[in-house]
Coordinates of all heavy atoms in Angstrom, one line a residue:
M1 N -48.7 -68.1 43.6 CA -49.8 -67.2 43.4 C -49.9 -66.9 41.9 O -48.9 -66.5 41.3 CB -49.5 -65.9 44.2 CG -50.6 -64.9 44.0 SD -50.2 -63.6 45.2 CE -51.5 -62.5 44.9
S2 N -51.0 -67.1 41.3 CA -51.2 -66.9 39.9 C -51.6 -65.4 39.6 O -52.4 -64.8 40.3 CB -52.3 -67.8 39.4 OG -52.6 -67.6 38.0
T3 N -51.0 -64.9 38.5 CA -51.3 -63.5 38.1 C -51.7 -63.5 36.7 O -51.3 -62.7 35.9 CB -50.1 -62.6 38.3 OG1 -49.0 -63.1 37.6 CG2 -49.7 -62.5 39.8
T4 N -52.7 -64.4 36.4 CA -53.2 -64.5 35.0 C -53.9 -63.2 34.7 O -54.9 -62.8 35.4 CB -54.1 -65.7 34.8 OG1 -53.4 -66.9 35.2 CG2 -54.6 -65.8 33.4
K5 N -53.6 -62.6 33.6 CA -54.2 -61.4 33.2 C -55.3 -61.7 32.2 O -55.1 -62.4 31.2 CB -53.2 -60.4 32.5 CG -53.8 -59.0 32.3 CD -52.7 -58.1 31.9 CE -53.2 -56.7 31.7 NZ -52.2 -55.7 31.4
T6 N -56.5 -61.3 32.4 CA -57.6 -61.5 31.5 C -57.5 -60.7 30.3 O -57.1 -59.5 30.3 CB -59.0 -61.2 32.2 OG1 -59.1 -61.9 33.5 CG2 -60.1 -61.5 31.4
K7 N -57.7 -61.4 29.1 CA -57.7 -60.7 27.9 C -59.0 -60.6 27.2 O -59.9 -61.5 27.5 CB -56.7 -61.4 26.9 CG -55.3 -61.4 27.4 CD -54.4 -62.1 26.3 CE -53.0 -61.9 26.8 NZ -52.1 -62.5 25.7
P8 N -59.3 -59.6 26.4 CA -60.6 -59.5 25.7 C -60.7 -60.7 24.8 O -59.7 -61.3 24.3 CB -60.5 -58.2 24.9 CG -59.1 -57.8 24.9 CD -58.4 -58.5 26.1
V9 N -61.9 -61.1 24.5 CA -62.2 -62.3 23.6 C -62.1 -61.8 22.1 O -62.0 -62.6 21.2 CB -63.5 -63.0 23.9 CG1 -63.4 -63.7 25.2 CG2 -64.7 -62.0 23.8
H10 N -62.2 -60.5 22.0 CA -62.2 -59.9 20.6 C -61.9 -58.5 20.7 O -62.2 -57.8 21.6 CB -63.6 -60.1 19.9 CG -63.7 -59.7 18.5 ND1 -63.0 -60.4 17.5 CD2 -64.3 -58.7 17.9 CE1 -63.2 -59.8 16.4 NE2 -64.0 -58.8 16.5
E11 N -61.2 -58.0 19.6 CA -60.9 -56.6 19.5 C -61.2 -56.0 18.2 O -61.0 -56.8 17.2 CB -59.4 -56.3 19.8 CG -59.0 -56.5 21.3 CD -57.6 -56.0 21.6 OE1 -56.8 -55.7 20.6 OE2 -57.2 -56.0 22.7
V12 N -61.7 -54.8 18.1 CA -61.9 -54.1 16.8 C -61.1 -52.9 16.9 O -61.2 -52.1 17.9 CB -63.4 -53.8 16.6 CG1 -63.6 -53.0 15.3 CG2 -64.3 -55.0 16.7
R13 N -60.3 -52.6 15.9 CA -59.5 -51.4 15.9 C -59.6 -50.7 14.5 O -59.4 -51.4 13.5 CB -58.1 -51.7 16.2 CG -57.2 -50.5 16.3 CD -55.8 -50.8 16.7 NE -55.0 -49.6 16.5 CZ -53.7 -49.6 16.6 NH1 -53.1 -50.6 17.0 NH2 -53.1 -48.5 16.3
L14 N -60.0 -49.4 14.5 CA -59.9 -48.6 13.3 C -59.1 -47.4 13.7 O -59.5 -46.6 14.5 CB -61.4 -48.2 12.9 CG -62.3 -49.3 12.5 CD1 -63.7 -48.7 12.2 CD2 -61.8 -49.9 11.2
G15 N -57.9 -47.3 13.1 CA -57.0 -46.2 13.4 C -56.6 -46.2 14.9 O -56.2 -47.2 15.4
R16 N -56.9 -45.1 15.5 CA -56.5 -45.0 17.0 C -57.6 -45.5 17.9 O -57.4 -45.4 19.1 CB -56.1 -43.5 17.3 CG -55.0 -43.0 16.4 CD -54.7 -41.6 16.7 NE -56.0 -40.8 16.5 CZ -56.2 -39.6 17.0 NH1 -55.3 -39.1 17.8 NH2 -57.3 -39.0 16.8
I17 N -58.7 -45.8 17.4 CA -59.9 -46.2 18.2 C -60.0 -47.7 18.3 O -59.9 -48.4 17.3 CB -61.2 -45.6 17.7 CG1 -61.0 -44.1 17.4 CG2 -62.3 -45.9 18.6 CD1 -60.6 -43.3 18.7
K18 N -60.2 -48.2 19.5 CA -60.2 -49.6 19.8 C -61.4 -50.0 20.7 O -61.7 -49.3 21.6 CB -58.9 -50.1 20.4 CG -58.8 -51.6 20.7 CD -57.5 -52.0 21.2 CE -57.3 -51.5 22.6 NZ -56.0 -52.1 23.2
A19 N -62.1 -51.1 20.3 CA -63.1 -51.7 21.1 C -62.6 -53.0 21.6 O -62.2 -53.8 20.7 CB -64.5 -51.8 20.3
A20 N -62.7 -53.3 22.8 CA -62.3 -54.6 23.4 C -63.6 -55.2 23.9 O -64.3 -54.6 24.7 CB -61.3 -54.4 24.5
V21 N -63.8 -56.5 23.5 CA -65.0 -57.2 23.9 C -64.6 -58.2 25.0 O -63.7 -59.0 24.7 CB -65.7 -58.0 22.7 CG1 -66.9 -58.7 23.2 CG2 -66.0 -57.0 21.6
W22 N -65.3 -58.2 26.1 CA -65.0 -59.0 27.2 C -66.1 -60.0 27.4 O -67.3 -59.7 27.3 CB -64.8 -58.2 28.5 CG -63.8 -57.1 28.3 CD1 -64.0 -55.9 27.8 CD2 -62.4 -57.2 28.6 NE1 -62.8 -55.2 27.8 CE2 -61.8 -56.0 28.2 CE3 -61.6 -58.2 29.1 CZ2 -60.4 -55.7 28.4 CZ3 -60.2 -58.0 29.3 CH2 -59.7 -56.8 28.9
A23 N -65.8 -61.3 27.7 CA -66.8 -62.3 28.0 C -66.9 -62.5 29.5 O -65.8 -62.7 30.2 CB -66.4 -63.6 27.3
N24 N -68.1 -62.5 30.0 CA -68.3 -62.8 31.4 C -69.2 -64.0 31.6 O -70.3 -64.0 31.1 CB -68.9 -61.6 32.1 CG -68.0 -60.4 32.0 OD1 -66.9 -60.4 32.5 ND2 -68.5 -59.3 31.4
E25 N -68.7 -65.0 32.2 CA -69.5 -66.2 32.4 C -70.5 -65.9 33.5 O -70.1 -65.5 34.6 CB -68.6 -67.4 32.8 CG -67.7 -67.9 31.7 CD -68.4 -68.6 30.6 OE1 -69.5 -69.1 30.8 OE2 -67.8 -68.7 29.5
T26 N -71.8 -66.2 33.2 CA -72.8 -66.0 34.3 C -73.6 -67.3 34.3 O -73.4 -68.2 33.5 CB -73.8 -64.9 33.9 OG1 -74.6 -65.3 32.8 CG2 -73.0 -63.6 33.6
E27 N -74.4 -67.5 35.3 CA -75.3 -68.7 35.4 C -76.2 -68.8 34.3 O -76.8 -69.8 34.0 CB -76.0 -68.7 36.8 CG -76.9 -67.6 37.0 CD -77.5 -67.6 38.4 OE1 -76.8 -68.0 39.3 OE2 -78.6 -67.2 38.6
N28 N -76.5 -67.7 33.5 CA -77.4 -67.7 32.4 C -76.6 -67.7 31.1 O -77.2 -67.5 30.0 CB -78.2 -66.4 32.4 CG -79.2 -66.4 33.6 OD1 -79.7 -67.5 34.0 ND2 -79.3 -65.3 34.2
G29 N -75.3 -68.0 31.1 CA -74.5 -68.1 29.9 C -73.5 -66.9 29.8 O -73.4 -66.1 30.8
V30 N -72.9 -66.8 28.7 CA -71.9 -65.8 28.5 C -72.5 -64.4 28.2 O -73.5 -64.4 27.4 CB -70.9 -66.1 27.3 CG1 -69.9 -65.0 27.1 CG2 -70.2 -67.4 27.6
R31 N -72.1 -63.4 28.9 CA -72.5 -62.0 28.7 C -71.3 -61.3 28.2 O -70.2 -61.5 28.8 CB -73.1 -61.4 29.9 CG -74.3 -62.1 30.4 CD -75.5 -61.9 29.5 NE -76.7 -62.6 30.0 CZ -77.5 -63.3 29.3 NH1 -77.2 -63.6 28.0 NH2 -78.5 -63.9 29.8
H32 N -71.5 -60.4 27.3 CA -70.4 -59.6 26.7 C -70.5 -58.1 27.2 O -71.6 -57.6 27.2 CB -70.3 -59.7 25.2 CG -70.0 -61.0 24.7 ND1 -71.0 -61.9 24.4 CD2 -68.8 -61.7 24.5 CE1 -70.4 -63.1 23.9 NE2 -69.1 -62.9 24.0
N33 N -69.3 -57.6 27.5 CA -69.2 -56.1 27.7 C -68.1 -55.6 26.8 O -67.2 -56.3 26.4 CB -68.8 -55.8 29.2 CG -69.9 -56.2 30.2 OD1 -71.0 -56.0 29.9 ND2 -69.5 -56.8 31.3
V34 N -68.2 -54.3 26.5 CA -67.3 -53.7 25.5 C -66.7 -52.4 26.2 O -67.4 -51.6 26.8 CB -68.0 -53.3 24.2 CG1 -67.1 -52.6 23.3 CG2 -68.7 -54.5 23.6
T35 N -65.4 -52.3 26.1 CA -64.7 -51.1 26.5 C -64.2 -50.4 25.2 O -63.7 -51.1 24.3 CB -63.6 -51.3 27.5 OG1 -62.7 -52.3 26.9 CG2 -64.1 -51.9 28.8
L36 N -64.3 -49.1 25.2 CA -63.8 -48.3 24.1 C -62.6 -47.4 24.5 O -62.6 -46.9 25.6 CB -64.9 -47.4 23.5 CG -66.1 -48.1 23.0 CD1 -67.3 -47.1 22.8 CD2 -65.8 -48.9 21.8
A37 N -61.6 -47.3 23.7 CA -60.4 -46.5 24.0 C -59.8 -45.9 22.8 O -60.0 -46.4 21.7 CB -59.4 -47.4 24.7
R38 N -59.1 -44.8 23.0 CA -58.3 -44.2 22.0 C -56.8 -44.4 22.4 O -56.5 -44.1 23.6 CB -58.6 -42.7 21.8 CG -57.7 -42.0 20.8 CD -58.2 -40.5 20.6 NE -58.3 -39.8 21.8 CZ -57.3 -39.1 22.4 NH1 -56.0 -39.2 21.9 NH2 -57.5 -38.4 23.5
I39 N -56.0 -44.9 21.5 CA -54.6 -45.1 21.9 C -53.8 -44.0 21.3 O -54.2 -43.4 20.3 CB -54.1 -46.5 21.4 CG1 -54.3 -46.6 19.9 CG2 -54.8 -47.6 22.1 CD1 -53.6 -47.9 19.3
Y40 N -52.8 -43.7 22.0 CA -51.9 -42.6 21.5 C -50.5 -42.8 22.1 O -50.3 -43.6 23.0 CB -52.4 -41.2 22.0 CG -52.4 -41.0 23.5 CD1 -51.4 -40.4 24.1 CD2 -53.5 -41.5 24.3 CE1 -51.4 -40.2 25.5 CE2 -53.5 -41.4 25.6 CZ -52.4 -40.7 26.3 OH -52.4 -40.6 27.6
K41 N -49.5 -42.2 21.5 CA -48.1 -42.4 21.9 C -47.7 -41.1 22.6 O -47.8 -40.0 22.2 CB -47.2 -42.6 20.7 CG -45.9 -43.3 21.0 CD -45.3 -43.8 19.7 CE -44.1 -44.7 20.1 NZ -43.5 -45.2 18.9
D42 N -47.1 -41.4 23.8 CA -46.6 -40.3 24.7 C -45.1 -40.6 24.8 O -44.7 -41.4 25.6 CB -47.3 -40.3 26.0 CG -46.8 -39.2 26.9 OD1 -46.1 -38.3 26.4 OD2 -47.1 -39.3 28.2
G43 N -44.3 -39.9 23.9 CA -42.9 -40.2 23.9 C -42.7 -41.6 23.2 O -43.2 -41.8 22.1
N44 N -42.1 -42.5 23.9 CA -41.9 -43.9 23.3 C -42.9 -44.9 23.9 O -42.8 -46.1 23.6 CB -40.5 -44.4 23.6 CG -39.5 -43.6 22.8 OD1 -39.7 -43.2 21.7 ND2 -38.3 -43.5 23.4
T45 N -43.9 -44.4 24.7 CA -44.8 -45.2 25.4 C -46.2 -45.1 24.8 O -46.7 -44.0 24.6 CB -44.9 -44.9 26.9 OG1 -43.5 -45.0 27.4 CG2 -45.8 -45.9 27.6
W46 N -46.8 -46.2 24.5 CA -48.2 -46.2 24.0 C -49.1 -46.2 25.3 O -48.9 -46.9 26.2 CB -48.5 -47.5 23.2 CG -48.0 -47.4 21.8 CD1 -46.8 -48.0 21.4 CD2 -48.5 -46.7 20.7 NE1 -46.6 -47.7 20.1 CE2 -47.7 -46.9 19.6 CE3 -49.7 -46.0 20.6 CZ2 -47.9 -46.4 18.4 CZ3 -49.9 -45.4 19.3 CH2 -49.0 -45.6 18.2
K47 N -50.1 -45.3 25.2 CA -51.1 -45.2 26.3 C -52.5 -45.2 25.7 O -52.7 -45.1 24.5 CB -50.8 -43.8 27.0 CG -49.5 -43.8 27.7 CD -49.4 -42.5 28.5 CE -48.1 -42.5 29.3 NZ -47.9 -41.3 30.1
S48 N -53.5 -45.2 26.6 CA -54.9 -45.2 26.1 C -55.7 -44.3 27.0 O -55.3 -44.1 28.1 CB -55.5 -46.6 26.0 OG -55.6 -47.1 27.3
T49 N -56.8 -43.8 26.4 CA -57.7 -42.9 27.2 C -59.1 -43.2 26.7 O -59.3 -43.8 25.6 CB -57.4 -41.5 26.9 OG1 -58.3 -40.7 27.7 CG2 -57.5 -41.1 25.5
E50 N -60.0 -42.9 27.6 CA -61.5 -43.1 27.3 C -62.1 -41.7 26.9 O -63.3 -41.6 26.8 CB -62.2 -43.7 28.5 CG -61.8 -45.1 28.8 CD -60.6 -45.2 29.6 OE1 -60.3 -44.3 30.4 OE2 -59.8 -46.1 29.4
S51 N -61.2 -40.8 26.6 CA -61.6 -39.4 26.1 C -61.5 -39.4 24.6 O -60.4 -39.7 24.1 CB -60.8 -38.4 26.8 OG -61.1 -37.1 26.4
F52 N -62.5 -38.8 24.0 CA -62.5 -38.8 22.5 C -62.7 -37.4 22.0 O -63.6 -36.7 22.6 CB -63.6 -39.7 21.9 CG -63.4 -41.1 22.4 CD1 -64.2 -41.6 23.5 CD2 -62.5 -42.0 21.9 CE1 -64.1 -42.9 24.0 CE2 -62.4 -43.3 22.4 CZ -63.2 -43.7 23.4
S53 N -62.0 -37.0 20.9 CA -62.3 -35.7 20.3 C -63.5 -35.8 19.4 O -63.9 -36.9 19.1 CB -61.0 -35.3 19.6 OG -60.9 -36.0 18.4
R54 N -63.9 -34.7 18.9 CA -65.0 -34.6 17.9 C -64.7 -35.5 16.7 O -65.6 -36.3 16.3 CB -65.2 -33.2 17.5 CG -66.3 -33.0 16.4 CD -66.1 -31.7 15.7 NE -64.9 -31.8 14.9 CZ -64.3 -30.7 14.4 NH1 -64.8 -29.5 14.6 NH2 -63.2 -30.8 13.7
D55 N -63.5 -35.4 16.2 CA -63.1 -36.2 15.0 C -63.0 -37.7 15.3 O -63.0 -38.5 14.3 CB -61.8 -35.7 14.4 CG -62.0 -34.2 13.9 OD1 -63.2 -33.8 13.6 OD2 -61.0 -33.5 13.8
D56 N -62.9 -38.1 16.6 CA -62.8 -39.5 16.9 C -64.2 -40.2 16.9 O -64.3 -41.4 16.7 CB -62.2 -39.7 18.3 CG -60.8 -39.3 18.4 OD1 -60.0 -39.5 17.4 OD2 -60.4 -38.9 19.5
L57 N -65.2 -39.4 17.1 CA -66.5 -39.9 17.3 C -67.1 -40.8 16.1 O -67.7 -41.8 16.4 CB -67.5 -38.8 17.6 CG -67.2 -38.2 19.0 CD1 -68.2 -37.1 19.2 CD2 -67.2 -39.2 20.1
P58 N -66.8 -40.5 14.8 CA -67.3 -41.4 13.8 C -66.6 -42.8 13.9 O -67.3 -43.8 13.7 CB -66.9 -40.7 12.5 CG -66.8 -39.2 12.9 CD -66.3 -39.2 14.3
L59 N -65.4 -42.8 14.3 CA -64.7 -44.1 14.4 C -65.2 -44.8 15.7 O -65.3 -46.1 15.7 CB -63.2 -43.9 14.5 CG -62.5 -43.5 13.2 CD1 -61.0 -43.4 13.3 CD2 -62.8 -44.6 12.1
V60 N -65.5 -44.1 16.7 CA -66.1 -44.7 17.9 C -67.4 -45.4 17.6 O -67.6 -46.5 18.0 CB -66.3 -43.7 19.0 CG1 -67.1 -44.2 20.2 CG2 -65.0 -43.1 19.6
S61 N -68.2 -44.7 16.8 CA -69.4 -45.3 16.3 C -69.2 -46.6 15.5 O -69.9 -47.6 15.7 CB -70.2 -44.3 15.5 OG -71.4 -44.8 15.0
K62 N -68.3 -46.5 14.6 CA -68.0 -47.7 13.7 C -67.5 -48.9 14.5 O -67.9 -50.0 14.3 CB -67.1 -47.3 12.6 CG -67.7 -46.4 11.6 CD -66.8 -46.1 10.5 CE -67.5 -45.1 9.5 NZ -66.7 -44.8 8.3
V63 N -66.5 -48.7 15.4 CA -66.0 -49.8 16.2 C -67.0 -50.4 17.1 O -67.1 -51.6 17.3 CB -64.7 -49.5 16.9 CG1 -63.5 -49.1 16.0 CG2 -64.8 -48.5 18.0
A64 N -67.9 -49.5 17.7 CA -69.0 -50.0 18.5 C -69.9 -50.8 17.7 O -70.4 -51.9 18.1 CB -69.7 -48.8 19.2
D65 N -70.2 -50.4 16.5 CA -71.1 -51.2 15.6 C -70.5 -52.5 15.3 O -71.2 -53.5 15.3 CB -71.4 -50.4 14.3 CG -72.4 -51.1 13.4 OD1 -73.4 -51.6 13.9 OD2 -72.2 -51.1 12.2
L66 N -69.2 -52.5 14.9 CA -68.6 -53.8 14.6 C -68.5 -54.7 15.8 O -68.7 -56.0 15.6 CB -67.1 -53.5 14.0 CG -67.1 -52.8 12.7 CD1 -65.7 -52.4 12.3 CD2 -67.6 -53.8 11.6
A67 N -68.3 -54.2 17.0 CA -68.3 -55.0 18.2 C -69.7 -55.6 18.4 O -69.8 -56.8 18.8 CB -67.8 -54.2 19.4
H68 N -70.7 -54.8 18.2 CA -72.1 -55.2 18.4 C -72.4 -56.4 17.4 O -72.9 -57.4 17.8 CB -73.0 -54.0 18.1 CG -74.4 -54.3 18.3 ND1 -75.2 -54.5 17.1 CD2 -75.2 -54.4 19.3 CE1 -76.5 -54.7 17.5 NE2 -76.5 -54.7 18.9
T69 N -72.0 -56.2 16.2 CA -72.2 -57.3 15.2 C -71.5 -58.5 15.6 O -72.1 -59.6 15.5 CB -71.7 -56.8 13.8 OG1 -72.5 -55.6 13.4 CG2 -71.9 -57.9 12.8
W70 N -70.3 -58.4 16.1 CA -69.5 -59.6 16.5 C -70.2 -60.3 17.6 O -70.3 -61.6 17.6 CB -68.1 -59.2 16.8 CG -67.2 -60.4 17.1 CD1 -66.5 -61.2 16.2 CD2 -67.0 -61.0 18.4 NE1 -65.9 -62.2 16.9 CE2 -66.1 -62.1 18.2 CE3 -67.4 -60.7 19.7 CZ2 -65.7 -63.0 19.2 CZ3 -67.0 -61.6 20.7 CH2 -66.2 -62.7 20.5
I71 N -70.7 -59.6 18.6 CA -71.3 -60.2 19.7 C -72.6 -61.0 19.3 O -72.8 -62.1 19.7 CB -71.7 -59.2 20.8 CG1 -70.4 -58.6 21.4 CG2 -72.6 -59.7 21.9 CD1 -70.6 -57.4 22.3
F72 N -73.4 -60.3 18.4 CA -74.6 -61.0 17.9 C -74.2 -62.3 17.1 O -74.9 -63.3 17.2 CB -75.4 -60.1 17.0 CG -76.5 -59.4 17.9 CD1 -76.2 -58.2 18.5 CD2 -77.7 -60.0 18.0 CE1 -77.2 -57.6 19.3 CE2 -78.7 -59.4 18.8 CZ -78.5 -58.2 19.4
E73 N -73.1 -62.2 16.3 CA -72.7 -63.4 15.6 C -72.3 -64.5 16.6 O -72.6 -65.7 16.3 CB -71.5 -63.1 14.7 CG -71.9 -62.2 13.5 CD -70.7 -61.8 12.7 OE1 -69.6 -61.9 13.1 OE2 -71.0 -61.2 11.6
Q74 N -71.6 -64.2 17.7 CA -71.3 -65.2 18.7 C -72.5 -65.8 19.3 O -72.5 -67.0 19.6 CB -70.3 -64.6 19.7 CG -69.1 -64.0 19.2 CD -68.3 -65.0 18.3 OE1 -68.0 -66.1 18.7 NE2 -68.1 -64.6 17.0
Q75 N -73.4 -65.0 19.7 CA -74.7 -65.4 20.3 C -75.4 -66.3 19.4 O -76.0 -67.3 19.8 CB -75.5 -64.3 20.8 CG -74.8 -63.6 22.0 CD -75.6 -62.3 22.4 OE1 -76.3 -61.7 21.6 NE2 -75.3 -61.9 23.6
G76 N -75.5 -66.0 18.1 CA -76.1 -66.8 17.1 C -75.4 -68.1 16.9 O -76.1 -69.2 16.8
A77 N -74.1 -68.1 16.9 CA -73.3 -69.4 16.8 C -73.6 -70.3 18.0 O -73.7 -71.5 17.9 CB -71.8 -69.1 16.7
A78 N -73.6 -69.7 19.2 CA -73.9 -70.4 20.4 C -75.3 -71.0 20.4 O -75.5 -72.2 20.8 CB -73.7 -69.5 21.7
T79 N -76.3 -70.3 19.9 CA -77.6 -70.8 19.8 C -77.7 -71.9 18.9 O -78.4 -73.0 19.1 CB -78.6 -69.7 19.4 OG1 -78.5 -68.6 20.3 CG2 -80.0 -70.1 19.3
S80 N -77.0 -71.9 17.7 CA -77.0 -72.9 16.8 C -76.3 -74.2 17.3 O -76.8 -75.3 17.1 CB -76.2 -72.5 15.5 OG -76.9 -71.4 14.9
E81 N -75.3 -74.0 18.1 CA -74.6 -75.2 18.7 C -75.5 -75.8 19.8 O -75.5 -77.0 19.9 CB -73.3 -74.7 19.4 CG -72.2 -74.3 18.4 CD -71.0 -73.8 19.1 OE1 -70.9 -73.8 20.3 OE2 -70.1 -73.3 18.4
D82 N -76.3 -75.0 20.5 CA -77.2 -75.6 21.5 C -78.3 -76.4 20.8 O -78.8 -77.4 21.4 CB -77.9 -74.5 22.3 CG -76.9 -73.7 23.2 OD1 -75.8 -74.3 23.4 OD2 -77.3 -72.6 23.7
K83 N -78.7 -76.1 19.6 CA -79.8 -76.8 18.9 C -79.2 -78.1 18.2 O -80.0 -78.9 17.9 CB -80.4 -75.9 17.8 CG -81.2 -74.8 18.4 CD -81.8 -73.9 17.3 CE -82.6 -72.7 18.0 NZ -83.1 -71.8 17.0
A84 N -77.9 -78.1 18.0 CA -77.3 -79.3 17.3 C -77.3 -80.5 18.1 O -77.4 -80.5 19.3 CB -76.0 -78.9 16.7

């Protein structure tokens, strides 16, 4: 029995805020989804949450923007490869 864990195709991290980009193969090509998280340390264990404080929000915006840019670059590269 295989227990392969899927990993994001790209990650953007600024401080404690992280965006993970996931690729989903569809019959119409690859579609990307993004999850956002704040990482924090609880004792000796790193954990993550989808809850953000007021001061986290500027970084949430920036990592979302960077993830958006990366996805568009990938789609542009895929379109260029299709034309070649």
Side-chain angles (χ1 to χ4, degrees):
M1 182 172 179
S2 176
T3 58
T4 303
K5 189 171 183 177
T6 304
K7 293 184 176 183
V9 293
H10 185 66
E11 289 186 355
V12 178
R13 183 174 165 189
L14 293 175
R16 300 176 305 156
I17 308 301
K18 181 173 74 171
V21 181
W22 304 87
N24 298 303
E25 293 287 340
T26 72
E27 61 187 33
N28 296 321
V30 176
R31 299 289 183 228
H32 293 94
N33 292 320
V34 178
T35 56
L36 300 169
R38 177 174 52 87
I39 59 173
Y40 64 97
K41 201 165 188 179
D42 183 14
N44 291 328
T45 305
W46 284 99
K47 296 184 175 183
S48 67
T49 180
E50 293 80 35
S51 177
F52 305 98
S53 72
R54 177 200 67 197
D55 294 338
D56 293 330
L57 295 179
L59 289 178
V60 169
S61 174
K62 288 181 182 184
V63 297
D65 183 43
L66 291 169
H68 179 259
T69 299
W70 186 85
I71 292 168
F72 265 89
E73 288 173 350
Q74 299 310 301
Q75 291 174 338
T79 302
S80 296
E81 290 174 6
D82 292 344
K83 292 179 181 176

